[in-house]
Structures are given as structure tokens and as C-alpha cells.
Amino acid sequence: MAPGQKLYPRATVKKIVKAHSNCNVSKNVDVLIFLDYALFMQTLMKEATIEAKQGGERGITARGVRKVTADSLAKFKG
């Protein structure tokens, strides 16, 4: 990706979030959403790794991710 090239249109993300939440949103809401998503994915992978090691598996599998998804989502429910 070239320097200075945007990954997504910030204004569009703000409009979508504002339409779904029926609230005013802050200037950097798109950045906060991305950081929350990245933290969720990191937690999900960490939990899936722990589940795989406890189950004696060699690596992370879809079954292991499905097992820990509900718990990870519950941690991030706002």
C-alpha cells in the first residue's frame, strides 16, 4: 500500500455508526472501532491458542475458535 493511501473512507464509517446508534459520534470514532476490533481479534486468538494447547492440538483450528468465540464476545459486549 502506498504511503498516504487511506484504507477506508472515514466519513462513510462515521455515517454508518451514527445511523445505527442514533447518537452523536466523536471525531475519531473510526479509529476507536478499529482498535477495539484489533483487541478483540488478539484476545480471540490468544484464547483459541490456550484452548488448542489444553486440547492437545498442534495448532489453532476452526473448532477451537468457535469454542472460545462466545466467551470473547461476552468480554467485549458494551
Side-chain angles (χ1 to χ4, degrees), residues 22-68:
N22 294 325
C23 301
N24 290 333
V25 292
S26 69
K27 188 167 86 171
N28 293 325
V29 72
D30 57 330
V31 176
L32 294 173
I33 290 170
F34 174 75
L35 291 174
D36 193 38
Y37 170 74
L39 185 61
F40 168 73
M41 291 303 292
Q42 182 181 12
T43 303
L44 183 67
M45 288 297 104
K46 189 181 293 183
E47 294 291 328
T49 302
I50 292 169
E51 179 70 28
K53 286 181 181 177
Q54 288 176 348
E57 299 173 359
R58 294 182 130 201
I60 300 171
T61 60
R63 185 177 57 83
V65 172
R66 271 188 246 115
K67 276 184 172 180
V68 299

